[in-house]
Amino acid sequence: MKAINVEKLSFSYDKQNTILKQLSFHIEEGSYTTIIGHNGSGKSTIAKLLIGLLEKDEGSIYIQGIELKEETLQTIRSKIGVVFQNPDNQFIGATVADDIAFGLENHQVDPEKMEDIIQNFAHKVGMNQYLQQEPTKLSGGQKQRVAIAGVLAMTPSILIFDEATSMLDPKGKEEIKRLIKEIHQLHNITILSITHDMEEVAQSDHVIVLKQGRIVMEGKPADIFLNDQQLKDLQLDIPFQWKLKQELEKRGITLSNELTIEEVVDELCQLRLKK
Ligand SMILES: Nc1ncnc2c1ncn2[C@@H]1O[C@H](COP(=O)(O)OP(=O)(O)O)[C@@H](O)[C@H]1O
Ligand SMILES: [Mg+2]
């Protein structure tokens, strides 16, 4: 069974300009998929369709085998958590603890268990020291971590991030990317992350490249980054470590595939030791 299965999905906001054009893709259970594409290519529209915030014109969406329609909307929403771009739009509570609890209160969780659950999820995102703080006083990265804790507390099987790191400073971006990777490795959650960050793409299992509402490339990050010219034409870049790898290859030094920046550095250090 696929976590997400989208078949020939079409959508338009105004019934004139088609934003998504017969889009088909599927996402494996437990995988970490990134969606990239220039601004306006329809990425957020896909996220909103998947959680039923928008209604499709044509095609179908299946979440863990269940077709998304009015009757299944609540069931499907209980399976999917979403973290949006702007950390300031996801806050409502007086304290961090209130924020994490917010979703749970609508889910009739036993009040006696609430405290433990809040502690547990705050701990998972490294925010247990901040439970009594005012959310407004936190940094962007910390706010996103709290938002992630709140979403995780609902125990979704699919997590969607819609540019969750794009408004953060470099430190915040790093924190959240590391956290997404950790959540994927530790919990058996399917991750779908819309991002502009090629370092994040490099840490995912699968990439979908969107252009004007159509999928133009799809595959493993290592394979997608080979098409650097095509990515450039889409105003997308490849990660620094991939550029470095390509330059080294021109000079006869071949590094292995599936490389993060740490792996590149490790391999270069080993090469130097061998000399
Ligand atoms: N609420 C809306 N009403 C009309 N058009 C919209 C609305 N939201 C987005 N669009 C248009 O749909 C297209 C895709 O938008 P979006 O999915 O937000 O792109 P992305 O997230 O890839 O930047 C864009 O051309 C955008 O202008
Ligand atoms: Mg968007």
Side-chain angles (χ1 to χ4, degrees), residues 29-83:
E29 194 87 39
S31 69
Y32 178 177
T33 299
T34 42
I35 298 185
I36 55 175
H38 57 92
N39 283 333
S41 55
K43 304 179 300 293
S44 294
T45 304
I46 295 177
K48 288 175 189 156
L49 283 160
L50 290 176
I51 54 172
L53 281 179
L54 293 172
E55 224 178 301
K56 65 179 164 80
D57 294 331
E58 282 169 42
S60 45
I61 297 171
Y62 293 85
I63 306 293
Q64 296 188 314
I66 302 171
E67 184 167 10
L68 175 64
K69 14 182 173 167
E70 214 168 303
E71 307 89 88
T72 57
L73 188 60
Q74 287 316 314
T75 312
I76 282 176
R77 284 216 181 131
S78 73
K79 293 173 183 289
I80 308 182
V82 194
V83 179

Side-chain angles (χ1 to χ4, degrees), residues 3-275:
I4 299 174
N5 200 357
V6 168
E7 283 167 21
K8 296 192 171 162
L9 181 67
S10 295
F11 175 79
S12 142
Y13 283 98
D14 54 10
K15 308 294 160 205
Q16 273 188 343
N17 302 303
T18 314
I19 303 292
L20 300 179
K21 292 144 192 160
Q22 300 259 322
L23 201 69
S24 298
F25 65 91
H26 62 253
I27 290 176
E28 297 292 337
E29 194 87 39
S31 69
Y32 178 177
T33 299
T34 42
I35 298 185
I36 55 175
H38 57 92
N39 283 333
S41 55
K43 304 179 300 293
S44 294
T45 304
I46 295 177
K48 288 175 189 156
L49 283 160
L50 290 176
I51 54 172
L53 281 179
L54 293 172
E55 224 178 301
K56 65 179 164 80
D57 294 331
E58 282 169 42
S60 45
I61 297 171
Y62 293 85
I63 306 293
Q64 296 188 314
I66 302 171
E67 184 167 10
L68 175 64
K69 14 182 173 167
E70 214 168 303
E71 307 89 88
T72 57
L73 188 60
Q74 287 316 314
T75 312
I76 282 176
R77 284 216 181 131
S78 73
K79 293 173 183 289
I80 308 182
V82 194
V83 179
F84 292 104
Q85 182 174 39
N86 190 343
D88 293 321
N89 289 348
Q90 352 217 16
F91 286 86
I92 10 78
T95 64
V96 165
D98 290 344
D99 277 339
I100 298 176
F102 176 73
L104 292 169
E105 279 161 6
N106 296 330
H107 269 65
Q108 286 120 31
V109 173
D110 180 353
E112 294 199 349
K113 290 192 186 141
M114 196 79 117
E115 193 106 342
D116 277 353
I117 297 175
I118 294 170
Q119 278 284 350
N120 179 20
F121 286 97
H123 184 76
K124 279 193 180 25
V125 301
M127 288 298 289
N128 43 326
Q129 303 297 318
Y130 298 85
L131 281 171
Q132 295 318 315
Q133 283 223 12
E134 257 179 70
T136 50
K137 301 228 166 95
L138 304 176
S139 71
Q142 289 173 326
K143 287 177 186 172
Q144 285 302 60
R145 283 198 266 159
V146 173
I148 292 169
V151 167
L152 280 178
M154 320 279 284
T155 61
S157 38
I158 300 169
L159 260 184
I160 299 177
F161 295 90
D162 188 356
E163 296 195 36
T165 64
S166 66
M167 293 180 76
L168 307 179
D169 61 15
K171 185 168 164 278
K173 280 194 209 308
E174 283 310 314
E175 278 171 26
I176 300 304
K177 276 188 280 179
R178 207 177 318 124
L179 182 59
I180 296 175
K181 193 174 174 182
E182 217 176 86
I183 291 169
H184 178 240
Q185 286 168 346
L186 295 179
H187 310 278
N188 193 25
I189 297 185
T190 305
I191 307 242
L192 177 60
S193 181
I194 295 164
T195 185
H196 281 293
D197 187 316
M198 289 296 163
E199 305 285 334
E200 190 195 344
V201 173
Q203 74 178 23
S204 69
D205 306 319
H206 191 79
V207 198
I208 293 174
V209 187
L210 215 63
K211 181 191 180 183
Q212 291 168 353
R214 288 198 171 92
I215 294 173
V216 287
M217 276 191 258
E218 192 178 356
K220 288 200 180 99
D223 297 330
I224 297 296
F225 294 147
L226 289 175
N227 306 305
D228 51 335
Q229 191 51 50
Q230 207 181 338
L231 288 172
K232 242 176 235 149
D233 295 342
L234 293 167
Q235 285 155 29
L236 299 166
D237 207 358
I238 61 171
F240 166 75
Q241 69 266 30
W242 241 269
K243 285 184 201 156
L244 180 64
K245 189 167 120 74
Q246 287 175 350
E247 286 305 314
L248 287 167
E249 266 163 22
K250 286 183 197 159
R251 288 161 179 76
I253 302 169
T254 309
L255 301 184
S256 49
N257 253 343
E258 316 284 347
L259 292 172
T260 64
I261 207 147
E262 291 82 7
E263 286 166 339
V264 171
V265 173
D266 284 349
E267 243 186 286
L268 287 174
C269 288
Q270 277 168 11
L271 281 175
R272 199 183 60 160
L273 287 176
K274 273 188 215 151
K275 269 199 172 170

